[in-house]
Each structure stands twice: as C-alpha cells, then as structure tokens.
Amino acid sequence: MSDACFALLPRDGLSAKDGRGWYTSEVGRGYSLPWPLPTTVRGALRAAWGHERMADQRITLSPETWERDSARVVLRRFIALRRALGEPVFTRAHRMWPVPADAVRVLDEAGTERLVRLEPHPGGAATLGPDEDDAREALWHPRRSARGKPLAQPLFWPEATMVAWLSGASDSLVPEREAPPPRTDIHLAIDVETQASQDSMLHSREVVEWLRVQSRDAGRLTLEEWALGVSCAWPDSAKGLPHGPLGLGGRRRLSDVERLDSNLFVAPDGLTRATRGLRLVLATPAEFQRGWLPDDFERVAGAPPRYVGRLPCIDAPVVLRAALVPRPLEVSGWDMVRRQPRATRRWVPAGAVYFFEKLGGEDFTADELCKLWLASWGGGHAEALGQVLPGVWQPPRHGQGA
C-alpha cells in the first residue's frame, strides 16, 4: 500500500442528492446536504482505482471483484479547502472546518454580531428522553456565556477562527459567512415535433457551486475556489494517485486532481497545551453503535451516575461530561453490485462537540492533544468518519471528580 495526498477540485458543480451517501431522510422527507460526505468521495476513489487497473492490465473486472479489491482503497483524511483562484498550492491556512455546536452566533444589544460559547455546567433540567437512562440525565447542560439574539450559523470557519476557538479564545466577532454557494438547475424535456416543453417533465436540482466571487474591487472580480483535501491509502498497482479528472458523485461530476503536501493534515502550530478538560469537535460525521453515545463508554454507578470510557490516543479512562449533538444524519445509498438499497446508516453530524475529564482528575497533556488531531473515533475508519479536533476546556472547579 502507498499513501497519496491530493485535492479534488470539482469544476461543474455537484448535485446535492445524486451521489452515494448524499441523499438523506428526515421524518420521511428528503433534504439536501451542502457538502459531500466522505463515503461519496471514497466511492469515487474506488471507482477511479478500478478503471485504472482495468486500463493498465487490459482486463475487465466483474462487479464482485471490483467491490472486493477496491475495498483496499482507504480514505484516511478528509477536509475542506478554500483559496483564491490562481494561488499555486494549498496550505494549512486554506483549511476550512465545520462550525462547532458549542458556538452560538448572536446579535448583542449594541447591534454587533458575536460568537459566544455554550459552556457545560452541572445540573439543569432533565432531558426527558424516551428511556430511563440516569447517566444521560446527569450530563451537564450548556449555558450561554453572553446574551443576545441567536442568528443563523455559517457552514464553515476558516483555519484561524477554528484554531482560536479550540485554543480557548474569548468571544470574538463573527467571521464572514463561509460556504460554497448553491445554485438551482432547472431541467425540462422538449418535444421533438412541437419544440415545446413536455408535460410533467420539469424538475429542478440543487447544485453546490465550487467557484464563487469573493470580492469586486475597482471593477475587478476576485474569485475563490473550494476543494476536497484527501489523504488515502492506495493498492500498489494504482501508482498512488488518480490520473486525469475524477468522477465525483452519482453523475460523475468531473474533478481535477492536484497533489498536496502531507503536512497539510498535521495539527496547527501552538494549538495544543495542557488542559484540565477536553473538548472534541467532529471534523467529519461519526458512526457510533448507539447513536449519539460514543463507543466504549458505559454507565458507571455513583452519585451521580456517569459514562466512563476510552478515547483514541488516550491511555487513561475519561468521564463524558456533556454532549452537544445536532440532529443526526440518516444516510442511505445504493449497492452498485447487488443492485439494491444499502442499509440506512445513522451518523452524528460534523460539528458535534463532546466534553471530557479524566477519571482520576489529571490534566490532558499537550502531547495527547497533538495525537488526537484528526484521529478516527467510532466506526467507519476506512471512510474517514469520526475525525476529531481537540480543544481546551476548563470545567467548573466544583465539578471536578463529580
């Protein structure tokens, strides 16, 4: 196996419902996702590997052989990137991160938009869940650090904003709205004889546009482009990098392939330091066996009861203090080999935040936080699911060891 790091730059937009893993359901209704899921990207990489193998060896792979052999294509890292059009290379400064659920964008009394934190504290109202789980009811509840009218959140934060937030910076001004712009494509069928539209043959599709106007200064347009940063493991016969444009999603949207430096995926300088509490932000959706509750965490009796378990790269057991988890993603897909729907998968969405303390009360070290950067948590490691961003957290003193 060989590792490869590259960026995928779609050039003709991406439909938000047409790829494996893109269509999700919520209470029986379909809705669009504004950003591709890691499973969609891994499916495109497996397809590219299979086509290259058949071209190099002048063979035809059966669907079953393709499915079995391409499983060795593993997606290790998956991040969003944004840069000004024409910049030669992507750097860590171009990284974009999903907005964490513990951040609230508010309009304060002075009319200023600000970011304020949701800080977990012991006590509060019960969650009134569907079952009698006393450990869940004992989780800490978030409180906003400042008052104001809540506003809609952007989809992404730039690198500098995310690093400041994970480092424990105080409330600050909100950055500009960050997201690749959507557009609506309208399609209709034309009758050949009448040259008019056919009845009942009009439909529309939401498309994510990967190029957008960043600014208009002195009559000049400044464009920016979004990309998918990928680190993956390839079987040796694939030569480590896709050749030519890659088809992404069910409609095989053409995407350029640009080589990346592996340093683009490392932790930022100056982020990690010792901290009494740990906040983990999901950079990609996570797949846990019991929904929102992380794997390897079990209820421990006490006063109050707690969830105690293990985290990747951390030797000591930890206590789950709080979990800020948005509505889950219920992801369905199509099995291209068996020609039937795949089982629906339920994921914790990117941006969810979990708060921990060590069971013995010790600090999390800077080295532990560094090892946690983009570590895989939960299931779906081959699909880059459950990648985490570690941050500092100072829990209330009276909660220590509670």
Side-chain angles (χ1 to χ4, degrees), residues 373-395:
W373 181 262
L374 291 182
S376 294
W377 190 24
H381 290 188
E383 301 164 315
L385 294 180
Q387 295 189 350
V388 297
L389 306 178
V392 302
W393 174 51
Q394 300 304 325

Side-chain angles (χ1 to χ4, degrees), residues 53-131:
R53 181 180 178 188
M54 289 193 296
D56 291 343
Q57 301 181 10
R58 298 182 180 180
I59 60 175
T60 299
L61 296 177
S62 68
E64 293 76 16
T65 301
W66 191 319
E67 178 82 3
R68 183 190 66 242
D69 293 351
S70 67
R72 294 180 292 166
V73 178
V74 175
L75 188 60
R76 299 193 190 278
R77 299 287 184 267
F78 176 75
I79 61 176
L81 300 170
R82 186 201 63 174
R83 69 181 177 189
L85 187 64
E87 291 190 43
V89 296
F90 283 105
T91 67
R92 279 183 278 173
H94 296 128
R95 298 189 296 196
M96 305 294 291
W97 303 105
V99 173
D102 62 338
V104 180
R105 180 169 166 258
V106 301
L107 186 68
D108 63 21
E109 296 178 353
T112 302
E113 292 185 12
R114 302 185 65 86
L115 286 175
V116 298
R117 291 183 181 273
L118 292 176
E119 292 289 358
H121 291 269
T127 63
L128 301 179
D131 55 353

Side-chain angles (χ1 to χ4, degrees), residues 95-395:
R95 298 189 296 196
M96 305 294 291
W97 303 105
V99 173
D102 62 338
V104 180
R105 180 169 166 258
V106 301
L107 186 68
D108 63 21
E109 296 178 353
T112 302
E113 292 185 12
R114 302 185 65 86
L115 286 175
V116 298
R117 291 183 181 273
L118 292 176
E119 292 289 358
H121 291 269
T127 63
L128 301 179
D131 55 353
E132 297 180 1
D133 187 342
D134 53 1
R136 183 197 60 228
E137 300 298 316
L139 289 175
W140 295 4
H141 291 253
R143 300 176 188 173
R144 198 190 306 172
S145 57
R147 300 180 65 180
K149 178 181 179 181
L151 300 173
Q153 282 279 32
L155 181 63
F156 290 101
W157 278 355
E159 172 83 357
T161 303
M162 193 61 165
V163 171
W165 190 261
L166 294 174
S167 300
S170 59
D171 299 344
S172 60
L173 294 178
V174 178
E176 63 176 295
R177 201 167 184 82
E178 302 287 357
R183 76 168 190 264
T184 301
D185 281 358
I186 299 177
H187 300 260
L188 57 85
I190 301 296
D191 187 281
V192 176
E193 295 182 358
T194 64
Q195 291 298 298
S197 61
Q198 297 180 13
D199 293 338
S200 303
M201 294 301 292
L202 174 67
H203 72 278
S204 64
R205 182 173 65 245
E206 294 294 323
V207 174
V208 178
E209 187 57 69
W210 294 70
L211 292 173
R212 77 171 184 179
V213 176
Q214 186 177 24
S215 64
R216 291 182 174 90
D217 297 326
R220 296 180 57 189
L221 294 181
T222 301
L223 298 177
E224 66 179 14
E225 60 181 348
W226 290 71
L228 303 169
V230 170
S231 173
C232 61
W234 286 90
D236 293 337
S237 60
K239 303 177 182 178
L241 196 70
H243 300 286
L246 182 144
L248 188 60
R251 294 182 178 269
R252 299 295 183 263
R253 300 287 184 173
L254 294 180
S255 303
D256 287 343
V257 179
E258 179 179 317
R259 189 177 296 275
L260 293 177
D261 191 296
S262 60
N263 287 331
L264 187 135
F265 299 95
V266 302
D269 299 330
L271 169 66
T272 55
R273 59 182 174 87
T275 175
R276 190 158 50 90
L278 171 70
R279 81 176 73 223
L280 281 186
V281 180
L282 288 179
T284 59
E287 186 174 57
F288 299 136
Q289 296 179 4
R290 293 171 290 176
W292 67 272
L293 183 62
D295 298 341
D296 300 324
F297 275 76
E298 300 295 339
R299 176 189 177 278
V300 174
R306 301 170 292 182
Y307 292 119
V308 178
R310 300 276 181 172
L311 292 174
C313 310
I314 305 293
D315 294 331
V318 298
V319 179
L320 175 62
R321 290 302 188 193
L324 304 183
V325 181
R327 181 169 295 173
L329 295 176
E330 294 179 342
V331 182
S332 60
W334 185 258
D335 192 317
M336 303 298 288
V337 175
R338 298 176 179 84
R339 300 293 178 180
Q340 64 184 23
R342 295 185 186 273
T344 299
R345 304 168 71 179
R346 200 175 200 201
W347 294 346
V348 177
V353 186
Y354 291 82
F355 297 82
F356 301 94
E357 287 185 276
K358 285 190 176 179
L359 184 60
E362 302 90 352
D363 286 354
F364 294 91
T365 66
D367 183 61
E368 287 174 329
L369 265 65
C370 186
K371 292 179 180 178
L372 275 170
W373 181 262
L374 291 182
S376 294
W377 190 24
H381 290 188
E383 301 164 315
L385 294 180
Q387 295 189 350
V388 297
L389 306 178
V392 302
W393 174 51
Q394 300 304 325

